[in-house]
Amino acid sequence: MNLVYINSANGLSKAALETVTYAKKLGADVAVVTNGNAAAELLATLGAYGASTVLQDAGVDGQDPSQLVKLVAAAASKVDASTIIFSHDLIGKAVAPRLSVRLKAGLVAGAVALPEADGSTKVNVFSGKAFGFVKVNSAVRIISLLPNSIQPEQTGGNCSTEAFDSQAGSSAITIKATKKPEGAIPLPEAELVVSAGRGLKGPENWGMVEDLAAALGAATACSRPVADIGWRPHHEHVGQTGVAIRPNLYIAAGISGAIQHLAGVNGSKVIVVINTDAEAPFFKAADYGIVGDAFEVLPRFTEAVKRFRAAQH
Amino acid sequence: MNILVCISKAPDTTSKIAFTNGNTQFDENGVQYIVNPYDEWYALVRALELKEAQGGNVTIITVGTTADDAVIRKALAIGADDAIRIDAPATDAYFVAMQIAEYAKGKGFDLILTGKETIDYNGSQVAGMIAEALELPYISIATKLDVAGSTISCEREIVGGMQEVELQAPAVISCAKGMAEQRIPNMRGIMAARTKPLNVVAPAALEALTTFSTYSMPAAKSSVKLIDPNNLDELVALLHNEAKVI
Ligand SMILES: Cc1cc2nc3c(=O)[nH]c(=O)nc-3n(C[C@H](O)[C@H](O)[C@H](O)COP(=O)(O)OP(=O)(O)OC[C@H]3O[C@@H](n4cnc5c(N)ncnc54)[C@H](O)[C@@H]3O)c2cc1C
């Protein structure tokens, strides 16, 4: 049996559907374990992606990784799981390593593909500058799947939901405040990203970036110096020492394309670069390039996207 | 307050990444090693700030061979009081974490800090593994860290936002940008680092749970298609029809 952990407290994210699809493609039956009190009808929709059972512990709110590890370990023992899958998101990064120690099961952190024929699994290493193939030496293996590595796929099927008391104990963490910007798309999960760098000259010019992002339905990102000088929040900093992303489309305006920046974004499927300097190194990593002034190109780009969207409807 | 900061070496960010031995080994030829930036810039500097404000001791620990002594001295130059090196090659995250947990057990550290990930293997695994092995609470990817008495307050990244949380020491925390600013070691620090204690400890008998069997490089990009800056409709059409991303 393959076991997938998902957090359903805020609905079913795309990352959750990716992990269930991944588990289904691994071959065996798929059980899902989740915390929170999502409606049974919502959880039942996981059947279409390949799940046959959902174990739901409504008593665990999902804030403390030391509770979540007990939840997943209890489910793993109940369904006799041989592979346990997480999303390599902020919860997976906190819980999967704990589970690895608890079950003495090897962890493939940040898988980008299904396992190879020899049983090894591909991950990004050196911040996306290369790939490594990880072999797990234990009987049970844990895989955390990098968001946007595979697409959710509906194969049809039904699943049942079962209340599950995992005896996960109480939380050691008290939540004081939660800040979630309205409507913002979490960067690591975003399929489309508009990013800008020092070429934008100042924080007052980011309206152009946000307008294009809004027209596309994209998340916004930035280069490191832009976050360092406080033009943009730290969580938007992408690159080797920031967030590593692999969206379908990465648009970079006024970013030179330094090696440390490229490291975090070169897993993107398609890269568009806008830069006044035709010699900017970023053009070597780009699929489409515009040699031009971001101050003129970005607003035109936004208008072109709006025309395209209007024509689609 | 006694703080243990876990340090890893990492190749300098400008290093050429290549592999040898039939793509089974990282090619260290010409590679300069640095202290992993997250460990140094955030975990270590914040630990030093807490010590400066509240007293205590900052110990750094790494699992590695004599080749790692240079990065240990660098972390000492920034201001750590003493260093531990568990004398074994760092075979996988589990091996490293269990060695550190084994050492830290019963030593009364109030905080165990790591960087959010290393920039070579990017696993984000070691801190969570130490926490589980020592049965401690764990805050993953914290961007702020304060301590008052035994109460730890942190800001952490959550999916789609940030959260302020509190918990009781001892705890394990992985540290990210926002927590502190990089410090450049001064001459006095560099001189002092030479004589600070570096204790080499024999490893516990443990096996790794994972191995990297091979490595590969991403396929080279075909050359860029240039678009007229006055014809953004063409770009949008290409993104839709050719690249199929919008
Ligand atoms: C250890 C280490 C880690 C690092 N980690 C990261 C990281 O994670 N992420 C990261 O991004 N960087 C990182 N860096 C920094 C990196 O080396 C670069 O300095 C940085 O990426 C440059 O940011 P930038 O492209 O915004 O700015 P610049 O290099 O200043 O480039 C600005 C670009 O804008 C162009 N431009 C100017 N005006 C316009 C205009 N009107 N329209 C269009 N284009 C214009 C210029 O031609 C130029 O190419 C790291 C560095 C080190 C040493």
Side-chain angles (χ1 to χ4, degrees), chain A residues 63 98 102 126-127 129 131 133 135 137 174 176-177 179 228 237 241 260 287-289 300 307, chain B residues 13 38 120 122 132 136 156 162 164 166 177 209 211 213-214 216 221 225 227 229-230 233 242:
Chain A
Q63 307 287 5
R98 292 200 78 127
R102 199 174 188 88
F126 300 98
S127 310
K129 290 175 190 167
F131 300 113
F133 293 82
K135 273 201 167 152
N137 311 327
T174 312
K176 292 291 181 185
K179 292 175 250 175
D228 279 353
H237 158 195
T241 54
Q260 299 93 352
D287 298 278
Y288 301 100
R300 277 187 218 145
R307 277 193 295 278
Chain B
T13 52
Y38 292 107
D120 47 9
N122 308 101
E132 186 67 21
L136 291 177
R156 70 172 172 188
M162 304 297 283
E164 288 167 28
E166 263 181 25
K177 187 164 187 168
L209 291 177
T211 34
S213 50
T214 51
S216 69
K221 280 259 177 194
K225 199 176 255 185
I227 313 286
N230 295 308
D233 290 314
E242 185 179 78

Side-chain angles (χ1 to χ4, degrees), chain B residues 49-71:
Chain B
E49 289 171 355
L50 289 170
K51 177 199 142 167
E52 284 153 10
Q54 309 185 8
N57 194 79
V58 175
T59 300
I60 53 169
I61 187 166
T62 196
V63 178
T65 60
T66 44
D68 297 335
D69 286 350
V71 297

Side-chain angles (χ1 to χ4, degrees), chain A residues 63-66 69 88-91 93-94 97-102 104-109 118 120 122-138 172-181 186 189 192 216 224 227-228 234-235 237 239-243 248-249 259-260 266 268-272 283-292 297 300-301 304-305 307-309 312, chain B residues 11-17 19 26 37-38 41-42 94 97-98 116-133 135-141 144 155-168 177-178 181-182 208-219 221-233 235-240 242-246:
Chain A
Q63 307 287 5
D64 184 350
S66 55
V69 69
H88 194 60
D89 62 8
L90 287 155
I91 297 182
K93 286 180 189 173
R98 292 200 78 127
L99 189 68
S100 171
V101 170
R102 199 174 188 88
K104 237 182 154 202
L107 167 59
V108 179
D118 71 355
S120 69
K122 187 176 182 180
V123 300
N124 282 336
V125 291
F126 300 98
S127 310
K129 290 175 190 167
F131 300 113
F133 293 82
V134 183
K135 273 201 167 152
V136 168
N137 311 327
S138 53
I173 296 172
T174 312
I175 311 302
K176 292 291 181 185
T178 300
K179 292 175 250 175
K180 278 197 183 183
E189 286 183 27
L192 310 174
L216 285 166
R224 177 178 163 212
D228 279 353
H234 288 318
H235 61 80
H237 158 195
Q240 187 158 18
T241 54
V243 185
N248 291 337
L249 174 61
I259 186 167
Q260 299 93 352
N266 59 9
S268 308
K269 201 168 144 215
V270 173
I271 295 178
V272 174
F283 284 115
K284 290 204 175 67
D287 298 278
Y288 301 100
I290 298 180
V291 180
V297 173
R300 277 187 218 145
F301 199 167
V305 170
R307 277 193 295 278
F308 165 75
R309 292 279 192 234
Q312 271 191 317
Chain B
D12 180 87
T13 52
T14 55
S15 305
K16 185 176 175 303
I17 304 302
F19 302 96
F26 176 53
Y38 292 107
W41 300 349
Y42 310 124
Y94 175 83
M98 297 308 280
K116 80 157 186 178
E117 64 183 40
T118 54
I119 60 168
D120 47 9
Y121 294 101
N122 308 101
S124 220
Q125 302 181 52
V126 168
M129 288 175 168
I130 296 172
E132 186 67 21
E135 296 178 46
L136 291 177
Y138 172 39
I139 300 296
S140 170
I141 314 201
K144 279 193 184 136
E155 195 170 276
R156 70 172 172 188
E157 290 186 11
I158 55 168
V159 177
M162 304 297 283
Q163 200 170 51
E164 288 167 28
V165 299
E166 263 181 25
L167 66 163
Q168 294 303 305
K177 187 164 187 168
E181 298 289 334
Q182 181 180 7
L209 291 177
T210 59
T211 34
F212 276 92
S213 50
T214 51
Y215 297 91
S216 69
M217 298 300 289
K221 280 259 177 194
S222 53
S223 63
V224 55
K225 199 176 255 185
L226 288 179
I227 313 286
D228 181 343
N230 295 308
N231 193 357
L232 274 298
D233 290 314
L235 176 61
V236 170
L238 285 168
L239 292 176
H240 180 65
E242 185 179 78
K244 300 192 170 39
V245 288
I246 63 171

